[in-house]
Amino acid sequence: MNFLRGVMGGQSAGAQPSGAETIQKLCDRVASSTLLDDRRDAVRALKSLSKKYRLEVGFQAMEHLINVLQTDRSDSEIIGYALDTLCNIVSNDLEEEEQEENSQKQVDDLGRQFTEIFIKQQENVTLLLTFLEEFDFHVRWPGVKLLTSLLKQQGPQVQQIILVSPMGVSRLMDLLADSREVIRNDGVLLLQQLTKSNAAIQKIVAFENAFERLLDIVTDEGNSDGGIVVEDCLLLLQNLLKNNNSNQNFFKEGSYIQRMKPWFEVGDDNSGWSAQKVTNLHLMLQLVRVLVSPTNPPGATSSCQKTMFHCGLLQQLCTILMATGVPADILTETINTVSEVIRGCQINQDYFASVNAPSNPPRPAIVVLLMSMVNERQPFVLRCAVLYCFQCYLYKNQKGQGEIVSTLLPSTIDATGNSVSAGQLLCGGLFSTDSVSNWCAAVALAHALQENATLKEQLLRVQLATSIGNPPVSLLQQCTNILSQGDKIDRRGSKVQTRVGLLMLLCTWLSDCPIAVTHFLHNSANIPFLTGQIAENLGEEEQLVQGLCALLLGICIYYNDNSLENCRKEKLKQLIEKRIGKENFIEKLGFISKHELYSRAAQKPQPSFSSPDHMMFDHEFTKLVKELEGIITKAIYKSSEEDKQEEEVKKSLEQHDNIVTHYKKVIREQDQQLEELKQKVNTLKSQNEQLQTAVTQQMSQIQQHKDQYNLLKVQLGKDNQHHSSHSDMLQMNGIQPEEISKLRQEIEELKNKHEALQGQLREKDSVIENMKSLQSETGTTEHSSQIAASAGLEQANELRRELEALRIQIQSQSSDISKLQSEKQELLQQMNTASVPALGDNSAITAAKNSELEGRLLQEIKELKSEVKTLSEEKALLKQHLDSINSTVAVLQDEKSKLHQEVTESKKEQDDLLVLLADQDQKILALKNKLKELGEPVEDEDDTESGDQGDEDEDGEEED
């Protein structure tokens, strides 16, 4: 400061130098001094003068300060002074006294001009970003403040420079991790300015883990009880998420919605909330609404809604909704938030319907909210919020609509009067003396009927007791009575508002519901009232009512089914032409869409009105007007002949639709039957494959048995060698050993053949049993029985062939056995004759051997006899099996003939149906061509239907 004193007070006798001269000297010193201390003192002096002499310091010193930043980077102190000076020059955040003193200099423009000078060279911003990497507090903090000021003055330009700078955004994200709270908090403010209206930077910041860091800061600061730092973090989160679908999806996928639940935990004592807590909670609710806004893509909104339900966030919001002592503005915003969380989401709507208020006895939350809506002492914004909540509860919720309407029906009304229902509250608001209640109740009831023709018809059954002693009147009649007597009833608020609400309800109720139109026309006073309202030349306020009356009369014409002779379409159009005039009628109808309040209501679903007088139109009703305006205009200008032709075409189309629906049903049933048959065929195929695998396994087992038999045969050959002495003895007695071995071989071959035959018989028995079980399982359906019949015939033919072969083998074996027996008798005789002379000569050993051989031969003969007996029994069994198979084949052949006959008949019926459908298609095509010639829009469904028919025909051909 010694240098500053020397500059400012050098000449005691002469005049004091001006501020501009002093600044010029300081700038010269910064530019020319070789000593760092001198330059530092000069920059410190410029910093102290920069607030009072902002213009002079800015124009004279900015270039020198930028040079200091480039050349003296090693000295953190001079860099800090330079950054503070530049921040004072660029920033408009001066004290009030300084703003008053500098008001003539237009401080707002000065900041913008100096910012343009600084960022003209993009290297200056890049240089500033490098200083933000310095950990020194005296460098980093002024750098953050300077960059924030630059973004406030020239946001888009600075954003673009940072975006193209390498790692520019990443450097700024490091500020959130700084342990010094002042730098971290100012870093949040810097990111707020950086992310404004720039989706690219928003995405980069989000993917740099901003959500995690910001939510950690909010948690560390105490959630909603935190200070202004929480508010800044919430504002930055809004910047990152609002209108940014990519970041919203990233927020949901990162499970950050679950971390929002602790924000809304409130205690039992909700009195004495600080202003900062109210602000924080308000921003938190707005952040939830950003994620489920109706303007977001439907898929993203629905996903966030379901996540909020599963993590308990919706339940927490409903707790605040029913809590006591919550400030009014927080309660209003909570209602709006719950509205958008449940809008169009069935699971959330069902949960909301189950919420009860903590009262005695408990009441549904919907009833409690409707009580606030029809209570004129409640704040206007709160009543609008409740209406929005009710509309969101009914949006695409036919179940909820039915529950609301059911509370009005005679069978469900509580006769004891202990509890009030939603329907009773709506009727009470509809007929009260408060115009806002009239309008809100009418719009709420219209939403209960939206796109639901069944409920429109059921609501016609509602009867109201208007006064004691008088008969009850229908709800529809009471609405028209109030509408016609609207000017005579003393009402708090706008009478036009009441009439507009009732007309919107009637238009919604009667549209696309011919039965309701007939009920409305049945009262002879309604049409004269509407024509009288439309024909009068009333003031500008009444033009809106006239337009809605014209819309209601047009609905009565377009949706008229001509069931009332005096109110047919043609008569109503003649009435309009005589009393109003077609052009005048269309002009009055156009008043609706030209109204300013109509345009405002059409912008967004939430009802937001600056005052109760502006509460005229509902968002969903604007869609209905847009849809009906052109249709009614066409209907008014149509001639009676065109109407008749249109009616005939409609009737023929209805008949055709009925016929097509019938045949589609028939074809659908046939497709279902074919699908069942296909499934059964697949099961039969799988069973067949299993049987084939079983046969393969049995064949392998037979092969193993054959191998074992060959081994045994080899072993028997070895045993024969041990009996050579025995053969010699037989030769001595006159018996040839070759003959004995031949007999043994033949006996072994017979045994083998016998075993093979038994194995084959067992296999055929198993096949026959499987065929019988398949026949019993598949005999219930026509198609499967046909398959079983063909398979059974093939198996039966194979069995016949194999049985014939078995018979031939058995006959040949029996003849062989008889031959062997005769040969055996001859051998025995020879042995007897040969043994007589030999008895005396041979020794006792020879006699013993002969007796042993004789015993063996007798044993073998006995075994052969038993084998012949078993073979004959098995032959009888095979005959029985063959007879049963023949009977089975006969039954299957009968079933096959029946099936062929039924298939022929079904083909014939199908051909008849196709011919009839072709005739109907020709008639439809002719009728549609007539409609097109008459200028009527016709939905062309022939291609899709013919495509479906072609696919069904192809399926039928494949099945045949």
Side-chain angles (χ1 to χ4, degrees):
M1 294 300 293
N2 294 330
F3 170 75
L4 181 61
R5 293 192 190 98
V7 173
M8 299 297 293
Q11 297 178 357
S12 58
Q16 293 293 328
S18 64
E21 294 175 355
T22 304
I23 292 167
Q24 181 62 45
K25 291 180 180 179
L26 292 172
C27 291
D28 293 340
R29 183 59 59 91
V30 171
S32 59
S33 294
T34 57
L35 295 176
L36 179 61
D37 291 340
D38 291 344
R39 293 198 302 277
R40 186 189 305 119
D41 291 339
V43 173
R44 184 190 300 118
L46 287 172
K47 173 191 170 184
S48 63
L49 295 172
S50 59
K51 290 187 177 180
K52 187 175 182 180
Y53 299 99
R54 180 182 176 192
L55 178 63
E56 292 80 1
V57 174
F59 276 116
Q60 297 184 38
M62 180 174 285
E63 185 178 353
H64 301 295
L65 294 171
I66 293 172
N67 289 331
V68 168
L69 295 178
Q70 293 172 347
T71 57
D72 294 327
R73 296 183 60 180
S74 59
D75 186 68
S76 60
E77 191 174 358
I78 191 173
I79 294 296
Y81 292 147
L83 291 173
D84 279 331
T85 307
L86 288 170
C87 186
N88 292 336
I89 295 170
V90 171
S91 176
N92 290 332
D93 300 332
L94 302 178
E95 298 179 0
E96 294 182 359
E97 296 179 358
E98 294 172 346
Q99 284 185 1
E100 291 176 1
E101 293 176 2
N102 296 308
S103 59
Q104 73 278 4
K105 298 180 181 180
Q106 300 177 351
V107 291
D108 292 338
D109 292 338
L110 277 179
R112 188 176 298 275
Q113 292 173 9
F114 288 137
T115 301
E116 287 179 358
I117 295 171
F118 185 83
I119 68 174
K120 190 173 183 180
Q121 298 294 327
Q122 294 187 9
E123 295 81 4
N124 296 338
V125 180
T126 306
L127 180 64
L128 182 57
L129 291 174
T130 60
F131 287 125
L132 295 180
E133 293 181 333
E134 298 289 338
F135 186 75
D136 192 331
F137 181 81
H138 298 288
V139 176
R140 200 173 203 184
W141 188 37
V144 170
K145 292 191 292 184
L146 175 57
L147 188 56
T148 305
S149 299
L150 294 174
L151 285 165
K152 285 181 180 178
Q153 299 298 338
Q154 296 286 347
Q157 292 85 344
V158 179
Q159 284 174 340
Q160 193 61 32
I161 295 172
I162 295 174
L163 191 60
V164 299
S165 176
M167 300 295 291
V169 178
S170 299
R171 293 172 180 173
L172 302 181
M173 287 301 300
D174 293 338
L175 299 173
L176 297 181
D178 200 305
S179 58
R180 295 160 293 193
E181 288 190 1
V182 63
I183 293 180
R184 182 200 69 185
N185 298 343
D186 283 350
V188 173
L189 296 175
L190 169 61
L191 290 172
Q192 275 185 31
Q193 299 297 326
L194 179 67
T195 55
K196 278 184 178 178
S197 305
N198 194 307
I201 292 179
Q202 290 168 2
K203 291 178 183 178
I204 296 173
V205 171
F207 283 98
E208 288 284 347
N209 207 22
F211 293 140
E212 184 75 29
R213 295 181 181 180
L214 292 173
L215 291 173
D216 288 341
I217 295 172
V218 171
T219 303
D220 294 341
E221 293 292 326
N223 294 327
S224 61
D225 293 323
I228 195 169
V229 177
V230 173
E231 179 183 348
D232 293 336
C233 290
L234 294 172
L235 289 171
L236 177 54
L237 284 171
Q238 279 195 18
N239 282 355
L240 295 175
L241 292 173
K242 196 169 187 179
N243 299 324
N244 194 317
N245 300 327
S246 174
N247 282 2
Q248 289 174 9
N249 186 58
F250 181 68
F251 191 84
K252 178 186 72 68
E253 295 294 335
S255 300
Y256 296 119
I257 292 178
Q258 288 83 337
R259 296 188 59 179
M260 298 169 72
K261 183 185 174 184
W263 294 355
F264 305 103
E265 293 177 355
V266 295
D268 297 332
D269 184 15
N270 295 313
S271 59
W273 283 18
S274 65
Q276 187 62 55
K277 181 173 182 177
V278 172
T279 302
N280 291 345
L281 204 52
H282 195 80
L283 289 171
M284 289 171 176
L285 291 168
Q286 286 184 347
L287 197 59
V288 175
R289 293 185 65 183
V290 165
L291 296 172
V292 293
S293 172
T295 59
N296 293 342
T301 299
S302 176
S303 180
C304 290
Q305 287 172 331
K306 291 176 182 176
T307 303
M308 289 177 183
F309 171 76
H310 290 300
C311 75
L313 180 57
L314 174 59
Q315 293 85 329
Q316 201 69 47
L317 293 174
C318 290
T319 303
I320 299 177
L321 203 65
M322 295 291 105
T324 56
V326 178
D329 53 346
I330 293 297
L331 181 60
T332 302
E333 189 63 22
T334 303
I335 294 172
N336 287 327
T337 305
V338 171
S339 304
E340 295 183 352
V341 172
I342 68 173
R343 187 176 190 268
C345 182
Q346 188 66 52
I347 185 174
N348 291 3
Q349 290 167 336
D350 292 342
Y351 171 77
F352 181 70
S354 67
V355 175
N356 288 323
S359 60
N360 191 15
R363 287 179 175 173
I366 297 173
V367 173
V368 175
L369 290 174
L370 288 178
M371 291 171 71
S372 301
M373 186 184 76
V374 298
N375 186 355
E376 56 185 303
R377 290 190 295 273
Q378 293 292 340
F380 177 66
V381 290
L382 179 64
R383 298 172 75 181
C384 291
V386 173
L387 176 62
Y388 184 45
C389 186
F390 190 73
Q391 291 174 348
C392 291
Y393 167 67
L394 297 179
Y395 183 71
K396 293 184 178 179
N397 183 11
Q398 292 191 352
K399 179 182 175 184
Q401 289 176 322
E403 291 174 353
I404 296 298
V405 172
S406 67
T407 59
L408 285 166
L409 299 178
S411 59
T412 56
I413 293 177
D414 185 7
T416 61
N418 293 330
S419 62
V420 63
S421 66
Q424 291 169 336
L425 287 170
L426 292 177
C427 283
L430 195 63
F431 307 130
S432 72
T433 56
D434 175 37
S435 62
V436 175
S437 297
N438 299 154
W439 193 91
C440 291
V443 170
L445 199 54
H447 276 260
L449 305 175
Q450 199 81 34
E451 297 179 356
N452 199 323
T454 304
L455 295 182
K456 291 177 183 179
E457 295 177 9
Q458 289 185 4
L459 201 64
L460 296 171
R461 296 163 45 202
V462 177
Q463 300 289 322
L464 302 174
T466 55
S467 59
I468 300 174
N470 292 329
V473 297
S474 66
L475 176 62
L476 182 65
Q477 182 60 45
Q478 185 65 11
C479 290
T480 56
N481 291 341
I482 295 176
L483 189 62
S484 60
Q485 299 172 5
D487 294 334
K488 300 175 184 178
I489 299 175
D490 186 17
R491 202 170 290 279
R492 290 182 295 276
S494 171
K495 295 178 181 178
V496 173
Q497 190 175 52
T498 299
R499 297 166 72 190
V500 167
L502 289 170
L503 284 167
M504 286 196 297
L505 172 60
L506 290 173
C507 289
T508 305
W509 192 348
L510 269 59
S511 65
D512 200 16
C513 186
I515 298 176
V517 172
T518 304
H519 278 70
F520 181 79
L521 295 176
H522 194 72
N523 186 351
S524 58
N526 287 338
I527 296 301
F529 167 73
L530 292 178
T531 54
Q533 288 286 316
I534 300 168
E536 289 182 9
N537 291 322
L538 302 174
E540 187 175 348
E541 292 182 356
E542 294 291 331
Q543 285 184 349
L544 192 55
V545 176
Q546 287 183 312
L548 291 171
C549 288
L551 180 65
L552 183 58
L553 184 56
I555 290 172
C556 291
I557 293 173
Y558 183 74
Y559 292 106
N560 191 346
D561 58 1
N562 294 327
S563 58
L564 295 177
E565 184 63 30
N566 295 330
C567 296
R568 297 173 65 85
K569 285 185 179 181
E570 189 58 32
K571 290 188 176 181
L572 292 177
K573 287 196 284 187
Q574 291 174 1
L575 187 65
I576 289 174
E577 191 169 3
K578 289 178 182 178
R579 294 193 180 181
I580 304 170
K582 290 183 179 179
E583 289 77 10
N584 191 23
F585 178 86
I586 300 302
E587 183 183 358
K588 296 290 178 69
L589 182 63
F591 285 161
I592 303 173
S593 56
K594 293 176 182 177
H595 202 281
E596 180 185 359
L597 298 178
Y598 174 91
S599 303
R600 289 184 187 177
Q603 291 176 359
K604 57 181 181 178
Q606 182 181 359
S608 57
F609 308 103
S610 56
S611 67
D613 294 336
H614 292 163
M615 181 183 269
M616 286 294 172
F617 283 107
D618 171 58
H619 177 76
E620 292 296 326
F621 182 74
T622 59
K623 296 180 182 178
L624 182 66
V625 172
K626 188 176 181 181
E627 178 185 346
L628 292 177
E629 191 173 3
I631 295 174
I632 291 173
T633 303
K634 275 186 180 180
I636 294 298
Y637 284 107
K638 274 184 182 176
S639 64
S640 58
E641 294 179 358
E642 290 175 344
D643 283 336
K644 289 179 182 178
Q645 291 178 355
E646 186 178 349
E647 289 295 331
E648 291 176 358
V649 170
K650 282 184 179 178
K651 288 180 181 178
S652 61
L653 285 175
E654 288 176 359
Q655 292 176 357
H656 164 263
D657 290 339
N658 294 332
I659 294 170
V660 170
T661 304
H662 171 69
Y663 285 125
K664 281 184 177 180
K665 184 179 179 182
V666 172
I667 293 169
R668 196 178 297 113
E669 291 175 354
Q670 291 179 352
D671 288 341
Q672 189 175 0
Q673 292 175 358
L674 287 172
E675 190 64 29
E676 292 175 357
L677 291 173
K678 285 179 181 178
Q679 291 177 358
K680 290 180 179 178
V681 168
N682 291 331
T683 57
L684 288 173
K685 285 181 179 178
S686 63
Q687 290 176 359
N688 187 22
E689 291 175 357
Q690 292 175 0
L691 290 173
Q692 287 180 354
T693 55
V695 169
T696 306
Q697 291 176 359
Q698 290 178 358
M699 292 294 292
S700 64
Q701 291 177 359
I702 291 169
Q703 186 63 36
Q704 290 176 1
H705 290 313
K706 286 182 179 180
D707 295 339
Q708 291 176 1
Y709 168 73
N710 292 329
L711 289 173
L712 291 172
K713 191 175 180 181
V714 172
Q715 291 178 358
L716 285 172
K718 292 180 180 178
D719 292 338
N720 289 333
Q721 293 177 2
H722 293 289
H723 297 289
S724 59
S725 61
H726 178 64
S727 300
D728 295 337
M729 183 59 64
L730 288 176
Q731 188 176 6
M732 289 172 63
N733 291 327
I735 301 171
Q736 296 297 325
E738 291 83 3
E739 294 177 353
I740 294 172
S741 63
K742 184 178 180 182
L743 285 171
R744 285 179 177 173
Q745 288 178 2
E746 289 176 353
I747 290 169
E748 292 296 331
E749 287 175 0
L750 286 173
K751 285 182 180 180
N752 294 334
K753 290 180 180 179
H754 176 65
E755 289 175 358
L757 287 171
Q758 284 183 340
Q760 290 177 358
L761 284 173
R762 284 194 295 271
E763 290 176 6
K764 299 309 174 186
D765 288 338
S766 64
V767 171
I768 290 167
E769 290 298 325
N770 289 330
M771 286 301 301
K772 287 181 179 179
S773 64
L774 284 175
Q775 182 187 3
S776 62
E777 289 175 359
T778 60
T780 56
T781 60
E782 297 173 352
H783 192 66
S784 59
S785 63
Q786 183 179 358
I787 296 171
S790 59
L793 287 172
E794 292 176 1
Q795 293 288 343
N797 292 329
E798 290 178 2
L799 287 172
R800 281 180 178 176
R801 290 193 294 270
E802 290 175 359
L803 282 172
E804 291 296 328
L806 287 172
R807 282 179 181 173
I808 295 168
Q809 288 181 0
I810 289 169
Q811 289 175 0
S812 63
Q813 287 178 1
S814 61
S815 62
D816 292 337
I817 289 169
S818 60
K819 288 179 181 179
L820 286 172
Q821 285 178 347
S822 61
E823 289 175 358
K824 185 176 181 182
Q825 292 297 330
E826 291 174 0
L827 286 172
L828 287 172
Q829 291 175 1
Q830 289 177 6
M831 286 174 66
N832 290 330
T833 55
S835 62
V836 173
L839 284 172
D841 299 331
N842 293 332
S843 62
I845 298 171
T846 305
K849 289 182 178 180
N850 289 334
S851 62
E852 184 181 355
L853 179 60
E854 192 173 287
R856 285 183 181 179
L857 287 172
L858 290 172
Q859 183 67 28
E860 288 177 356
I861 289 165
K862 287 180 182 179
E863 289 176 358
L864 284 172
K865 285 181 180 180
S866 63
E867 288 175 359
V868 169
K869 185 178 180 181
T870 54
L871 284 172
S872 62
E873 290 174 356
E874 288 172 356
K875 182 179 179 181
L877 290 174
L878 282 173
K879 286 182 179 179
Q880 293 178 0
H881 285 306
L882 182 60
D883 294 336
S884 64
I885 288 169
N886 289 332
S887 63
T888 304
V889 168
V891 173
L892 291 175
Q893 284 178 343
D894 292 338
E895 289 180 355
K896 182 178 179 182
S897 62
K898 291 179 182 179
L899 283 173
H900 278 300
Q901 186 177 359
E902 290 176 358
V903 167
T904 306
E905 291 176 357
S906 64
K907 280 186 176 180
K908 185 178 180 182
E909 290 176 359
Q910 190 173 8
D911 293 335
D912 294 338
L913 290 176
L914 290 174
V915 171
L916 185 56
L917 280 175
D919 295 337
Q920 289 296 328
D921 288 336
Q922 292 296 328
K923 291 180 182 179
I924 293 163
L925 184 61
L927 291 172
K928 287 188 176 180
N929 290 331
K930 287 182 181 179
L931 279 175
K932 288 180 180 179
E933 291 173 0
L934 294 172
E936 285 296 323
V938 178
E939 293 181 359
D940 194 4
E941 298 177 354
D942 293 340
D943 294 338
T944 57
E945 290 179 358
S946 62
D948 295 339
Q949 185 68 38
D951 295 340
E952 291 159 358
D953 293 341
E954 290 175 5
D955 292 340
E957 290 172 3
E958 291 174 2
E959 214 41 51
D960 291 339

